[in-house]
Amino acid sequence: MLISFKTSMKTTTTTSLFSKFPTKGRVAALWLAAASALTGCGDIFEPTISEICESHSEICLDLSLDARCRAERAEIIRLRYYNQDSIDEAYKYPLLLHFEEYLVCVEEAQHIEHVKRKGKEATRLKGVITAQREIKRLSRETKNSLDPYLSYYHWTRYNDKDAFHRFERYAASNRVSDPKLLVELASVQIKTDQERTVNTLYRALSLYTDSDNIDVSIFYSLASMGMDKDNFRLAYVWYGVAEYYDERLNETQRMQLGKKYALPVEILDNIVDEIVSSLNSATFDADSLKLHKI
């Protein structure tokens, strides 16, 4: 939910600024890329799902075999196949997320009535049971994992406080490279520590590789925290950045803020331009931009 600056010049920071971001693509891609690199062949000689199931039937037999949920099932099969002997448990994070998606799919498919082929209901029930069992098993195995993403999983899925603190420490040591996960962390930090929240959001902004993907609520949240701390320069700057990325916002409120508090708007506008330029070029660095001195 975006913070509205139009309602009040002194907006109270809320704790519902962010949304859930289950993320698996990056981690899964890394594991599949690593597997391909080991073979030296890449995608050209990558086995098909049919070939994997033919040579390693145990990987596939507990999943539903009908045409529905094929994409979700394929992701699970490939992760299982490429990590059969892995001693690193990082792949279990994308595997858990794929099982969650697969479970949703097979549960929906199970409710579709088949007049001519009732047998499909049985294989889908098998898929539901497998997904539920595997999510429980993987969750049990990774409860105390030191992997940042698995710690994030246990925090967001089970409200595990120990996992949250582990994830927070990983984030502070720059071991979390997904900006969406850091935005999720900031949504909790903002309740008790705004300074830490600002640092987390700055770190998140530094990780975006495409400015089109940036969550604009970050800008509003930073501006709102500036207002809460009576740091009107900070608020002015981040509302200026928000204007660039959110076409729904015009400059009226920002200009009123500058006038009301006699801010050095020319200097601050230059800072806005520098931030926007760095975000567009994926080179954002709060220290280089000296944002902590605003």
Side-chain angles (χ1 to χ4, degrees), residues 130-184:
T130 294
Q132 292 173 337
R133 184 194 69 231
E134 287 299 280
I135 290 171
K136 289 180 181 178
R137 180 184 67 82
L138 290 166
S139 295
R140 185 171 58 252
E141 289 179 358
T142 59
K143 176 176 174 55
N144 298 311
S145 173
L146 297 179
D147 179 82
Y149 292 89
L150 286 167
S151 296
Y152 169 84
Y153 183 88
H154 281 273
W155 161 44
T156 54
R157 297 307 190 275
Y158 304 111
N159 195 28
D160 186 322
K161 302 300 183 184
D162 290 337
F164 168 74
H165 292 306
R166 286 199 305 272
F167 179 73
E168 190 175 33
R169 288 195 297 272
Y170 297 140
S173 62
N174 295 336
R175 292 177 60 188
V176 178
S177 57
D178 189 325
K180 295 178 181 179
L181 272 60
L182 293 179
V183 172
E184 181 68 24

Side-chain angles (χ1 to χ4, degrees), residues 39-57:
T39 64
C41 303
D43 293 338
I44 299 177
F45 299 107
E46 184 177 310
T48 65
I49 296 300
S50 296
E51 289 170 342
I52 292 174
C53 290
E54 184 176 346
S55 60
H56 296 78
S57 59

Side-chain angles (χ1 to χ4, degrees), residues 3-288:
I3 303 170
S4 175
F5 185 49
K6 297 182 179 180
T7 340
S8 168
M9 293 293 290
K10 181 84 171 178
T11 306
T12 302
T13 306
T14 65
T15 58
S16 58
L17 308 178
F18 312 94
S19 55
K20 298 290 184 185
F21 292 97
T23 306
K24 64 176 178 298
R26 179 185 172 279
V27 181
L30 287 174
W31 273 99
L32 293 179
S36 297
L38 288 175
T39 64
C41 303
D43 293 338
I44 299 177
F45 299 107
E46 184 177 310
T48 65
I49 296 300
S50 296
E51 289 170 342
I52 292 174
C53 290
E54 184 176 346
S55 60
H56 296 78
S57 59
E58 70 282 1
I59 292 177
C60 310
L61 286 178
D62 59 348
L63 303 171
S64 60
L65 301 178
D66 67 328
R68 291 186 179 274
C69 309
R70 182 176 296 172
E72 293 82 359
R73 182 171 63 245
E75 295 287 356
I76 292 171
I77 291 171
R78 290 199 183 281
L79 277 167
R80 283 176 160 183
Y81 175 72
Y82 285 117
N83 294 282
Q84 295 176 81
D85 302 315
S86 177
I87 59 173
D88 191 326
E89 61 184 1
Y91 78 94
K92 293 179 181 179
Y93 173 65
L95 185 58
L96 276 162
L97 295 182
H98 283 303
F99 264 120
E100 288 181 344
E101 288 192 352
Y102 176 69
L103 178 58
V104 170
C105 182
V106 291
E107 283 181 332
E108 290 177 352
Q110 191 183 15
H111 294 302
I112 299 175
E113 184 174 353
H114 294 273
V115 178
K116 295 183 179 180
R117 302 182 67 178
K118 293 283 187 179
K120 286 190 175 182
E121 295 177 2
T123 186
R124 287 174 185 155
L125 177 59
K126 178 174 69 174
V128 169
I129 294 172
T130 294
Q132 292 173 337
R133 184 194 69 231
E134 287 299 280
I135 290 171
K136 289 180 181 178
R137 180 184 67 82
L138 290 166
S139 295
R140 185 171 58 252
E141 289 179 358
T142 59
K143 176 176 174 55
N144 298 311
S145 173
L146 297 179
D147 179 82
Y149 292 89
L150 286 167
S151 296
Y152 169 84
Y153 183 88
H154 281 273
W155 161 44
T156 54
R157 297 307 190 275
Y158 304 111
N159 195 28
D160 186 322
K161 302 300 183 184
D162 290 337
F164 168 74
H165 292 306
R166 286 199 305 272
F167 179 73
E168 190 175 33
R169 288 195 297 272
Y170 297 140
S173 62
N174 295 336
R175 292 177 60 188
V176 178
S177 57
D178 189 325
K180 295 178 181 179
L181 272 60
L182 293 179
V183 172
E184 181 68 24
L185 173 61
S187 71
V188 175
Q189 292 176 329
I190 201 170
K191 300 173 184 177
T192 57
D193 192 333
Q194 289 195 0
E195 183 176 352
R196 185 176 295 182
T197 305
V198 169
N199 291 330
T200 298
L201 292 178
Y202 283 169
R203 170 64 179 164
L205 288 174
S206 73
L207 295 173
Y208 282 102
T209 57
D210 186 344
S211 59
D212 290 337
N213 295 331
I214 296 176
D215 180 2
V216 295
S217 72
I218 294 175
F219 309 138
Y220 286 92
S221 300
L222 288 166
S224 182
M225 284 185 283
M227 295 297 294
D228 286 347
K229 297 187 294 184
D230 292 337
N231 187 342
F232 304 115
R233 296 186 181 196
L234 184 68
Y236 181 98
V237 164
W238 285 107
Y239 274 113
V241 176
E243 286 172 21
Y244 182 88
Y245 291 100
D246 189 350
E247 59 185 16
R248 296 170 295 179
L249 184 68
N250 59 50
E251 66 178 13
T252 303
Q253 299 298 326
R254 177 174 55 87
M255 299 306 293
Q256 289 178 353
L257 179 64
K259 183 177 180 179
K260 180 176 181 179
Y261 297 104
L263 303 179
V265 294
E266 290 187 8
I267 295 174
L268 298 179
D269 286 341
N270 287 334
I271 295 175
V272 170
D273 291 340
E274 290 177 0
I275 292 174
V276 169
S277 176
S278 68
L279 290 173
N280 287 341
S281 60
T283 58
F284 178 87
D285 185 302
D287 292 331
S288 297

